[in-house]
């Protein structure tokens, strides 16, 4: 099993490619554990992975340029490159850039959608749910609490989250400790807690297609 850097490194620095595969996945650092778990479980040793810093999740205007740079940097070293991002707040710009570069990305608006399955997620039409994944549960303070200033001004909580009625934890793994942390996150936000076991959803299905290259 591939060892991973800790979540702080995945958040701030990302993950470098090993350089010994034929096919490269360029992904968000928030997906590193999931991608490596699927790859290793299936023995897809020809898949290599590089991750951009997960904190770009909070700065979607920087994602397209970072993906372009990663593709340009690695294109000569791999038979094919795939992009493990959804739109992720880029307003269609990432899809346009991928089409221009001739690389495939995962369909959907964001990772919450493809973990649950894009069609299933769209059918729910949940506008009052706040979502967390395994990674975001582990990195809740870095991605939610501190960026919103709630560590300094907790009185702002209701202004930010007053229009939500629940926190939905999309669990990729069956981990009671993560579930307990996610439930505590819901309490901190004053939201009702709901857990859904999604597994890897469309991410795993996309990877199966990419592995067949």
């Amino acid at each position: 099993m591939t060892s991973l850097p800790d979540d702080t490194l995945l958040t701030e620095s990302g993950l470098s490619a090993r350089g010994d595969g034929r096919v490269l996945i360029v992904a968000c650092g928030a997906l590193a554990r999931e991608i490596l778990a699927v790859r290793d479980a299936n023995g897809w040793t020809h898949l290599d992975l590089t991750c951009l810093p997960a904190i770009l999740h909070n700065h979607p205007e920087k994602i397209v340029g970072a993906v372009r740079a990663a593709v340009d940097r690695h294109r000569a070293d791999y038979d094919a490159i795939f992009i493990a991002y959804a739109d992720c707040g880029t307003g269609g710009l990432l899809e346009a850039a991928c089409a221009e570069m001739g690389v495939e990305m995962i369909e959907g608006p964001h990772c919450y959608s493809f973990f649950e399955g894009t069609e299933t997620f769209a059918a729910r039409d949940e506008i009052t749910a706040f979502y967390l994944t395994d990674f975001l549960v582990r990195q809740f303070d870095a991605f939610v609490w501190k960026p919103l200033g709630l560590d300094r001004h907790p009185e702002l909580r209701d202004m930010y989250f007053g229009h939500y009625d629940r926190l939905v934890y999309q669990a990729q793994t069956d981990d009671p400790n993560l579930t307990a942390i996610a439930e505590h996150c819901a309490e901190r936000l004053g939201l009702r807690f709901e857990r859904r076991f999604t597994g890897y959803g469309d991410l795993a299905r996309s990877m199966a297609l990419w592995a067949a290259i």
Side-chain angles (χ1 to χ4, degrees), residues 142-155:
F143 279 80
V144 180
W145 202 253
K146 291 180 179 178
L148 292 178
L150 295 174
D151 55 328
R152 303 179 302 280
H153 301 286
E155 70 276 6

Side-chain angles (χ1 to χ4, degrees), residues 24-98:
L24 179 67
I25 298 173
V26 176
C28 173
L31 303 177
R33 292 178 184 270
E34 290 70 26
I35 290 171
L36 292 174
V38 173
R39 184 192 71 183
D40 292 349
N42 289 279
W44 294 331
T45 56
H46 64 296
L47 294 185
D48 202 354
L49 172 66
T50 187
C51 290
L52 303 178
I55 200 62
L56 292 180
H57 180 279
N58 286 1
H59 301 280
E61 74 279 3
K62 298 181 180 180
I63 291 175
V64 174
V67 170
R68 279 188 179 277
V71 172
D72 289 344
R73 184 164 60 251
H74 293 290
R75 189 186 290 277
D77 300 323
Y78 293 90
D79 294 343
I81 296 177
F82 296 95
I83 309 302
Y85 274 90
D87 181 74
C88 297
T90 67
L93 294 179
L94 182 58
E95 181 180 7
C98 287

Side-chain angles (χ1 to χ4, degrees), residues 143-179:
F143 279 80
V144 180
W145 202 253
K146 291 180 179 178
L148 292 178
L150 295 174
D151 55 328
R152 303 179 302 280
H153 301 286
E155 70 276 6
L156 295 177
R157 185 193 70 176
D158 291 343
M159 183 181 76
Y160 287 128
F161 293 96
H163 61 293
Y164 293 107
D165 62 19
R166 65 196 180 281
L167 182 150
V168 176
Y169 167 37
Q170 296 180 322
Q172 283 72 68
T173 56
D174 264 323
D175 186 330
N177 183 55
L178 280 182
T179 298

